[in-house]
Amino acid sequence: ENISILQLAKNVQSELSPLAQELDVDIEIAIAPTLPTITVDSDKIERTLLNLVDNALKYSPEQGTVTIGAMVEDAAYLRVVVADEGPGIPDEYKRRLFDRFVQVSGRKTIRRGVGLGLTFCKLTVEAHGGQIWVEDNSGGGSQFMMTLPLAKHPEPID
């Protein structure tokens, strides 16, 4: 279906808001309401975004910020970014991080997963014809990025 990435981001922000408050981390949305819609399985992409923001919250310092952003990548794709201010991802893990059961060793977090969340994200994004990767955040931390297909016939956004 055609859907606004802004709407998906707001859903994720709303769902994770209690956890963010408990951790004393802000979730900010930096998405222009005029961005074109994307054509995706909205439940799967919302779950993907939820996984990325949840991970960012896990590793963000108190009084930190997790930012959800988006911009047009090219004529066919939208780039979605989830940025945090955590410890970052060591270079040796960046290529393998989306593989099953891979986790960065030596990280202490209250909520530890089993290492399948990012694998789910990768499979979902690739099933939509997009890509997903991680880069360093210039202000410290990480930026998880994914590309998603723009709607071929965008619907007007109210």
Side-chain angles (χ1 to χ4, degrees), residues 60-140:
S60 288
E62 284 185 15
Q63 299 180 344
T65 301
V66 171
T67 305
I68 306 168
M71 73 252 0
V72 174
E73 172 84 355
D74 57 33
Y77 289 94
L78 188 76
R79 179 185 292 202
V80 180
V81 181
V82 175
D84 66 55
E85 299 169 341
I89 308 290
D91 288 340
E92 65 268 21
Y93 282 95
K94 287 180 182 164
R95 284 191 168 313
R96 301 181 308 125
L97 198 58
F98 296 94
D99 295 343
R100 289 180 198 162
F101 309 116
V102 172
Q103 293 183 329
V104 177
S105 61
R107 295 283 167 92
K108 293 189 169 128
T109 178
I110 298 167
R111 300 173 303 113
R112 190 110 173 121
V114 296
L116 291 174
L118 290 176
T119 302
F120 169 83
C121 293
K122 180 181 180 187
L123 292 171
T124 301
V125 170
E126 288 179 352
H128 284 84
Q131 296 179 328
I132 188 167
W133 68 98
V134 62
E135 293 180 2
D136 293 332
N137 190 358
S138 60

